[in-house]
Amino acid sequence: MTEETFEIVLTVNGVHRAARAPARRLLSDLLRHDLGLTGTHVGCEHGVCGCCTVLLDGEPVRSCLMFAVTASGRAVTTVEGLAGPDGRMSPVQQAFQDCHGLQCGFCTPGFLCTITAFLRDTPRPTDEEILEAVSGNLCRCTGYQNILRSVRRASDLMEES
Amino acid sequence: MKPPPFAYTAPRTVDAALEALAEPGAKVLAGGQSLIPLLNMRLAAPARLVDINGVAGLGALEATAAGVRAGALVRHAAAGRSEGAARVQPLLRRAVRHVAHPAVRNRGTVVGSLAHADPAAELPAVLAVLGGAVEAASVRGRRTIPAGAFFAGPLEPALAPDELAVSAFFPAAPPRSGSAFAETSRRHGDYALAGVAVTVALGADGTVRSARAGYLGVGATPLVLDLTSVAAEGACAAAFARENVDPDGDVHASADYRRHLAGVLTDRALREATAEALAEARLDGPGARDGDGGGGGAA
Ligand SMILES: Cc1cc2nc3c(=O)[nH]c(=O)nc-3n(C[C@H](O)[C@H](O)[C@H](O)COP(=O)(O)OP(=O)(O)OC[C@H]3O[C@@H](n4cnc5c(N)ncnc54)[C@H](O)[C@@H]3O)c2cc1C
Ligand code: FES
Ligand code: FES
């Protein structure tokens, strides 16, 4: 039996992309396997770890809990799309480097996408708001303290610029 | 793991969705935040998914004097953000804050959470304590299912396989009333071990006219207890709750611990809701309610 496939069109990091895939293709797998954007990581595939978080029309979502076909016609931002056009790191990326906010880096793409959207909506967050914002992302290496520091640093960097 | 194959349709209108659901083996896909994990783990294998995300007219969130009506595509995040909804029925925002994490709330829907009928979910307990209702439609017609009849069992809503839940209705908070939501979970954003939504309404003379508690995590379906006499007589709400819940134990918590939590959380939420009702009664006027509601949502 050959499975029915669907034409899926997305704007990924500002670029028009198209692919054909069965309805059961997860957005995370479409990004990684069909479009070759392996920056989006996949940890648990049931919504718990947050590694696969991307921005859908600017809002953080789990790409492992969405079918690519449902996302068709919409804009997706992945970790590959966070840096400036000249390749300069975004304030959030810069802050993670400055504050040692990553070790193995597996969780980092999900944190970067989540925090990018969070600081856009909440430029000067309280510590409590920061905790709530990153509570849906797991990190097995850092112990989180440097990630929280990175969020505060990113907020400062954004205010300076 | 990856989802098993299924046939897929993405209707644009409610009528087309109902036609598609009339096919045998069809299942609704809303936010996917409960269904897709089940598919990824191969715990579900529906023959056909009817993706309602593109259906027109299901995204409305209406707040009127009577209450809040959420269409099937209202996401948790939108329900939590709405100032209008928070003014009319503050309990909704207080409970939604405890549903999962922000990224899950951006996709998961209020109605989907009711239709999923997880015994540990927040919103079924809220619908139950408020005496709300779900509006269901199929090619056979429309009907309103009151909360008391909607939760038939764990993960078992009173919806026929061909029915679409088109909206849910949460009645407004009456004048001189307060509410509170309290739960305990192992980690922030996890499903709760136990939780409770409490509403308190005072009479014109300031005495307790009605007090109700809706529980999650202590039974197969949301449990509603009438706390009116307990609250009116100043009796021990924690003891009353412990005596009247009958939780199961599992790998997350023993039955005894859940019973203990039900007591502690009932006491806390009843005190908060009563304090708010008293403050409302002092202000004594409709529209005096502040959108953020102050003290809600402990732990
Ligand atoms: C990591 C994680 C943590 C979570 N934590 C919590 C939590 O703490 N508390 C909580 O309450 N929830 C939690 N959830 C679940 C979340 O709230 C879901 O959004 C919700 O349970 C289901 O809504 P949905 O729109 O995603 O439905 P879907 O996943 O699309 O559907 C769920 C079920 O409901 C049916 N259904 C959905 N909509 C309709 C409709 N309109 N008519 C008929 N049937 C319908 C589907 O067929 C399916 O059987 C969590 C999810 C994740 C991934
Ligand atoms: S891979 Fe999506 S949340 Fe873990
Ligand atoms: S840096 Fe290794 S999991 Fe977070």
Side-chain angles (χ1 to χ4, degrees), chain B residues 192-212:
Chain B
L193 299 176
V196 66
V198 169
T199 60
V200 171
L202 305 179
D205 60 355
T207 58
V208 176
R209 186 165 58 78
S210 130
R212 283 158 63 86

Side-chain angles (χ1 to χ4, degrees), chain A residues 101-108 111 138-142 147:
Chain A
L102 64 145
Q103 290 178 26
C104 80
F106 195 83
C107 67
T108 314
F111 273 101
L138 300 183
C139 173
R140 306 257 61 181
C141 301
T142 62
I147 293 177

Side-chain angles (χ1 to χ4, degrees), chain B residues 21 27-35 38 52 70-74 76 108-119 121-125 127 133-137 145 147 150-161 163-168 170 191 220-222:
Chain B
L21 282 172
K27 203 160 180 47
V28 175
L29 171 68
Q33 304 301 290
S34 293
L35 183 54
L38 291 175
I52 62 168
L73 285 176
V74 172
H76 297 307
T109 64
V110 168
V111 172
S113 168
L114 302 172
H116 190 58
D118 192 305
E122 287 80 5
L123 298 179
L127 192 81
V134 173
E135 188 78 23
I145 310 168
F150 187 76
F151 303 104
L155 305 182
E156 202 189 326
L159 289 169
E163 274 184 314
L164 175 71
V166 286
S167 68
F170 299 86
Y191 276 104
T221 56

Side-chain angles (χ1 to χ4, degrees), chain B:
Chain B
M1 275 164 65
K2 307 298 174 190
F6 49 80
Y8 174 86
T9 17
R12 296 281 147 188
T13 64
V14 171
D15 284 345
L18 299 183
E19 291 287 336
L21 282 172
E23 300 280 327
K27 203 160 180 47
V28 175
L29 171 68
Q33 304 301 290
S34 293
L35 183 54
I36 298 181
L38 291 175
L39 293 169
N40 285 355
M41 292 186 267
R42 301 230 169 174
L43 295 172
R48 169 182 298 274
L49 287 189
V50 180
D51 184 343
I52 62 168
N53 285 283
V55 173
L58 293 180
L61 180 67
E62 293 156 10
T64 63
V68 177
R69 181 171 293 283
L73 285 176
V74 172
R75 316 280 169 187
H76 297 307
R81 250 192 323 262
S82 164
E83 294 301 331
R87 245 190 320 277
V88 170
Q89 183 44 267
L91 193 50
L92 199 54
R93 172 182 284 180
R94 287 172 185 166
V96 161
R97 283 184 177 151
H98 293 273
V99 177
H101 310 287
V104 172
R105 294 202 289 266
N106 280 337
R107 292 296 302 162
T109 64
V110 168
V111 172
S113 168
L114 302 172
H116 190 58
D118 192 305
E122 287 80 5
L123 298 179
V126 169
L127 192 81
V129 77
L130 295 177
V134 173
E135 188 78 23
S138 71
V139 288
R140 296 169 292 118
R142 284 200 170 229
R143 63 183 180 129
T144 303
I145 310 168
F150 187 76
F151 303 104
L155 305 182
E156 202 189 326
L159 289 169
D162 66 343
E163 274 184 314
L164 175 71
V166 286
S167 68
F169 180 71
F170 299 86
R176 298 183 301 275
S177 72
S179 65
F181 191 94
E183 72 171 41
T184 299
S185 55
R186 288 271 180 226
R187 285 168 299 269
H188 184 90
D190 275 9
Y191 276 104
L193 299 176
V196 66
V198 169
T199 60
V200 171
L202 305 179
D205 60 355
T207 58
V208 176
R209 186 165 58 78
S210 130
R212 283 158 63 86
Y215 294 88
L216 49 132
V218 300
T221 56
L223 170 74
V224 177
L225 291 182
D226 190 336
L227 301 179
T228 310
S229 55
V230 174
E233 290 157 17
C236 177
F240 181 83
R242 281 197 300 270
E243 277 157 30
N244 285 284
V245 300
D246 187 17
D248 282 331
D250 58 22
V251 59
H252 303 293
S254 67
D256 277 349
Y257 183 50
R258 284 206 165 88
R259 185 186 303 281
H260 166 77
L261 286 178
V264 173
L265 296 171
T266 303
D267 185 57
R268 188 185 300 162
L270 180 61
R271 263 189 282 144
E272 250 176 58
T274 308
E276 188 187 47
L278 287 168
E280 286 288 318
R282 272 193 296 275
L283 294 169
D284 205 37
R289 185 177 289 285
D290 139 25
D292 202 36

